[in-house]
């Protein structure tokens, strides 16, 4: 299920740009700054330096488990 996977990139402040967290549903092989950070907040020459500072992690979760836990907690 595509809603149960995502890539999360945490990018710290860079030059005059504040830090930001980006989430996008992409495959594990595309879980990197270049595929997830949109729009790119820095101009072309700074993209590599900006992306090297970002930490990207591929995450999988079970929405069914999350829903079941919610129902149990509400009961």
């Amino acid at each position: 299920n595509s809603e149960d996977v995502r890539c999360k990139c945490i990018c710290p402040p860079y030059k005059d740009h504040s830090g930001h967290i980006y989430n996008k549903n992409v495959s594990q092989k595309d879980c990197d700054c270049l595929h997830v950070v949109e729009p790119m907040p820095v101009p072309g020459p700074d993209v590599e330096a900006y992306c090297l500072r970002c930490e990207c992690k591929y995450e999988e979760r079970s929405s069914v488990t999350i829903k079941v836990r919610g129902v149990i907690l509400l009961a």
Side-chain angles (χ1 to χ4, degrees):
N1 191 344
S2 63
E3 68 191 38
D4 291 339
V5 296
R6 70 176 177 179
C7 182
K8 180 178 182 179
C9 291
I10 301 173
C11 301
Y14 178 77
K15 293 188 177 179
D16 60 344
H17 299 280
S18 60
H20 195 76
I21 297 173
Y22 299 89
N23 293 301
K24 190 171 182 184
N25 291 342
V26 296
S27 67
Q28 189 168 8
K29 71 177 183 68
D30 289 334
C31 184
D32 59 40
C33 174
L34 293 175
H35 288 97
V36 175
V37 176
E38 290 180 355
M40 186 61 67
V42 297
D46 287 333
V47 169
E48 184 177 2
Y50 181 80
C51 281
L52 286 173
R53 299 170 56 90
C54 297
E55 181 181 337
C56 298
K57 292 184 180 178
Y58 185 74
E59 300 176 342
E60 293 183 61
R61 62 188 182 146
S62 171
S63 59
V64 172
T65 301
I66 293 168
K67 289 175 186 173
V68 169
R69 282 185 174 171
V71 169
I72 291 171
L73 290 175
L74 293 174

